[in-house]
Amino acid sequence: MLNQSWAAVIFDLDDTLLVSRTIKWEQYRTTANRFYGFELGDDELALHWGKPFDEMIRELFRRSAPVEELIAAVGSLDMHYPKTPCAGAVHVVERLLRDGVLVGVVTSSNTEPAMHDLARTGFPVDHMLFVHGADATAAHKPDPAVFDESVALLAEQGVTPDDITYVGDSLIDLHAARGAGLRFVGVTTGVVGDAEFRAAHADSVPALAQLTSGRLRSAPRCSRRAAAPSSTPHGRSPAGAPKPDHRA
């Protein structure tokens, strides 16, 4: 049984907790074609996928309009392309919380829409310690400083980086966690497979439903590297009742 006094789990969002890439890529293709008259191919989508949300939208839509207008265009199609929970993800989060494990989210999506999507799909957002989106920190993955605020909040609960596991679906998730001295477990529900995680000397599971307490305990610890300095303080987004937001 996991215990709060020594363990915390931070999750990535897209293709870790929520099925995102296949759904949102179709939304972005439709947006580009309908509003801006060009086709978005897989190579272009893959190039920018995983960047901080506002930056990703600017680049995907080739700076065709101010970012606020681009976000509004994408958001006008949200109802047709809702993210869905990854198989077993809600149950895993609920189980960890029942076992007294502190749970948070660090994602490249923006905070408010991330919280809205989590609540809409049944995740117990009110019981998470934090949800930190790209707009809540000056650092972004793979910069390990993306975890500075999260690590500080967990330190207030008596949890050290050695006892924090980050769960994500990409190599930038791995590199950020490794740089911050966190444990890491990959899930192969995104674009990175087991062989790529193994080549990077990282543990992985095919789905969150197979993320056991033993797996979290045995995830290797990583030596912390110096984090890049941030130009602005990291924001904190307490988990509370989220409001709908028209961003993907």
Side-chain angles (χ1 to χ4, degrees):
M1 190 75 76
L2 289 170
N3 187 288
Q4 172 176 316
S5 66
W6 68 271
V9 180
I10 306 173
F11 291 95
D12 174 51
L13 181 73
D14 293 313
D15 296 314
T16 299
L17 293 178
L18 296 175
V19 178
S20 302
R21 180 175 57 88
T22 55
I23 295 169
K24 291 302 172 182
W25 281 21
E26 287 305 310
Q27 181 175 357
Y28 298 156
R29 286 190 183 97
T30 301
T31 302
N33 183 274
R34 181 177 301 180
F35 292 98
Y36 304 109
F38 64 86
E39 301 293 329
L40 265 180
D42 284 353
D43 289 346
E44 195 167 1
L45 285 157
L47 177 64
H48 300 299
W49 182 248
K51 292 180 178 179
F53 182 78
D54 289 7
E55 178 186 347
M56 178 185 69
I57 292 300
R58 285 191 192 95
E59 298 303 325
L60 280 179
F61 298 106
R62 304 173 187 176
R63 301 178 182 268
S64 300
V67 69
E68 294 80 10
E69 293 181 24
L70 298 173
I71 290 171
V74 171
S76 69
L77 301 178
D78 276 354
M79 68 180 69
H80 304 295
Y81 298 93
K83 296 178 183 180
T84 58
C86 290
V90 174
H91 173 72
V92 166
V93 172
E94 289 175 338
R95 189 192 73 224
L96 290 170
L97 290 167
R98 280 198 310 270
D99 289 350
V101 178
L102 296 169
V103 173
V105 173
V106 170
T107 173
S108 297
S109 295
N110 284 340
T111 304
E112 190 173 344
M115 293 177 69
H116 172 62
D117 282 336
L118 287 166
R120 176 183 57 79
T121 52
F123 287 90
V125 179
D126 290 346
H127 298 285
M128 294 180 180
L129 185 63
F130 55 81
V131 176
H132 290 164
D135 53 338
T137 172
H140 306 294
K141 296 181 286 187
D143 185 347
V146 72
F147 293 111
D148 284 357
E149 176 73 5
S150 307
V151 169
L153 290 174
L154 288 165
E156 294 174 5
Q157 307 297 319
V159 178
T160 66
D162 278 352
D163 293 324
I164 302 169
T165 303
Y166 189 54
V167 181
D169 70 297
S170 72
L171 294 180
I172 66 169
D173 293 331
L174 166 63
H175 296 321
R178 186 167 282 170
L182 311 183
R183 300 169 183 260
F184 179 82
V185 176
V187 286
T188 60
T189 45
V191 295
V192 178
D194 177 65
E196 290 174 273
F197 279 126
R198 279 191 284 108
H201 307 288
D203 191 18
S204 68
V205 292
L208 276 186
Q210 293 172 264
L211 186 68
T212 63
S213 299
R215 205 73 176 246
L216 292 169
R217 283 197 188 98
S218 63
R221 293 184 175 93
C222 305
S223 298
R224 182 179 175 87
R225 296 196 301 265
S230 299
S231 57
T232 58
H234 300 322
R236 176 176 179 177
S237 297
K243 299 177 182 177
D245 186 277
H246 298 296
R247 284 176 279 186

